[in-house]
Amino acid sequence: MRPDLSRRHLLALLAATTLSGLVSPAMAAGAATQGAASIAAEPKRRGKGTRVIVIGAGMAGLVAAARLVEEGAEVVVIEARNRIGGRIFTDRSLGVPVELGAGFIHGFNGNPLADLLDRSGSRPFFIDEDRAVLLEDGGIEPEEFELDDLWDDVDTIIEDAAEESDGNPDTSLAEIVDILDPGLAKEPIGGWALTDMIENDVGAPLDAISALHFDGDEAFDGPDVVVKQGYDTLLAPLAKGLDIRLGETVLRIATGKHGVTVESDKGRHRAAHVVVTVPLGVLKAGSIRFEPALPEAHRQAIDAIGFGNLGKVSVRFDRAFWPKDAHYIGYVARERGRYAEIVNLMPSHDAAALTLVASGAYAKTLDAMDDRAVAADVMQALGSMFGVQPKPPSGLVRHVWSTDPLARGTYSFTATGTLPAHFDALAKPAGQGLWLAGEHTLFAYHGTAHGAFLSGQRAADAILASL
């Protein structure tokens, strides 16, 4: 699940240039070509006669299963939830699709999810990052010169963070901010910029993020896209025809020369291979027992890689009292991370609804509230922004990922002490016939749905190659 407000959005808000220079065109083109070719390739039936168990029916699991079935393998997908999708979770109780998990296709050009959207029959809504509003309390818009200076400050921190860390992955971004611009985080607008540019994107507080590697991943070019019919519609082409067992929790996985055995709360399954696509938070919690234990390199990686958290709440009103044409609304709150990003559903769905995102330390604050307290907090923030006292929302919906035992957070990030090699370690075979997949196994695209897609494809192709 990547945050809805990308770094490119801040650049648009600050009237700066795009960050396309951070993207590796060769890598993006290669990943996209591989994704499209894998889906469209003529089946070779390399998997015929092979039985595979896939644990988890999120993006990675469904891609792996669909790829293996395409090649003739017999596949069973075991999913603990009573729905598919995992951290892709679309809710329609407000009358329009709102995303409680993954929200955007990040970077549409060459993204393998763009092809998946086309196959699903859904329609894209392209985000215009120039159509954004930034507001302080009382509806005040910061002066242009103030934003220009702010951009210079944040740009310096991002550009110099790795060098200032002096090669030490244990140095946090909070330490770098204190060195380069100690007053920035103490000002509300400076705090907003640090949240918008870094904490929203990485999915963690500054003091938990490694300054050395936080900005080393890749991104696809082009606009971000909202899936108008709901993000979960992307899953239908993958899930079609698959044997998916919902509501079944895996407890133990045993591997050996005679194959793999998967024990769940509903029985026992045997196969030649197993692909484990549960979130990193579940692996950290040790919810699944591996026999023998995972290799030391895998266990070290699971401990080292961070698993972050964002809070999301969507609210619907009888009418819109905010700028209807704005795709994004930024809020400069006194508390850093308090709804720095607000997504307006008026342009995309013609609905008087907003999705507010809490990041950094405020994500934990939001998660600790009950729905009544969340509604009051949202109302207070919106009232401060627009100088009005709106009527209570007609509907509110959210999902608390940090306390969800099947997730335990939102997505992986480069925590202090994390190295790209830790992600690479998780991509390697974890035992005889045992493979891991998920966004946390692909450093270049970690924390994204397209990263999960590519990792599932990679795991399936590794199994096929091993045959």
Side-chain angles (χ1 to χ4, degrees), residues 320-387:
F321 50 85
W322 55 87
K324 296 181 181 180
D325 293 335
H327 289 191
Y328 290 109
I329 302 170
Y331 177 37
V332 181
R334 294 186 181 276
E335 307 94 333
R336 191 167 82 239
R338 186 188 182 209
Y339 314 132
E341 168 201 347
I342 302 174
V343 182
N344 181 16
L345 274 67
M346 283 295 295
S348 58
H349 293 88
D350 194 27
L354 300 169
T355 295
L356 300 91
V357 180
S359 54
Y362 204 79
K364 185 177 181 180
T365 300
L366 183 72
D367 284 357
M369 300 179 190
D370 60 23
D371 284 358
R372 181 176 295 182
V374 169
D377 192 54
V378 167
M379 292 289 287
Q380 194 281 327
L382 294 176
S384 295
M385 288 175 64
F386 299 108

Side-chain angles (χ1 to χ4, degrees), residues 261-412:
T261 300
V262 175
E263 291 184 2
S264 75
D265 58 352
K266 291 188 177 179
R268 182 174 294 183
H269 306 265
R270 291 186 174 86
H273 299 269
V274 59
V275 183
V276 180
T277 71
V278 299
L280 178 63
V282 175
L283 294 176
K284 283 179 174 290
S287 303
I288 298 174
R289 187 168 79 254
F290 292 91
E291 296 179 3
L294 293 174
E296 178 65 19
H298 287 70
R299 285 181 280 140
Q300 289 180 357
I302 289 169
D303 289 341
I305 300 171
F307 200 60
N309 185 42
L310 290 176
K312 264 187 176 184
V313 55
S314 294
V315 286
R316 180 153 191 175
F317 295 90
D318 293 334
R319 63 178 183 83
F321 50 85
W322 55 87
K324 296 181 181 180
D325 293 335
H327 289 191
Y328 290 109
I329 302 170
Y331 177 37
V332 181
R334 294 186 181 276
E335 307 94 333
R336 191 167 82 239
R338 186 188 182 209
Y339 314 132
E341 168 201 347
I342 302 174
V343 182
N344 181 16
L345 274 67
M346 283 295 295
S348 58
H349 293 88
D350 194 27
L354 300 169
T355 295
L356 300 91
V357 180
S359 54
Y362 204 79
K364 185 177 181 180
T365 300
L366 183 72
D367 284 357
M369 300 179 190
D370 60 23
D371 284 358
R372 181 176 295 182
V374 169
D377 192 54
V378 167
M379 292 289 287
Q380 194 281 327
L382 294 176
S384 295
M385 288 175 64
F386 299 108
V388 298
Q389 188 55 50
K391 293 182 179 179
S394 58
L396 178 151
V397 64
R398 65 171 178 151
H399 185 79
V400 182
W401 294 101
S402 61
T403 59
D404 181 339
L406 301 179
R408 300 180 182 269
T410 49
Y411 51 81
S412 64

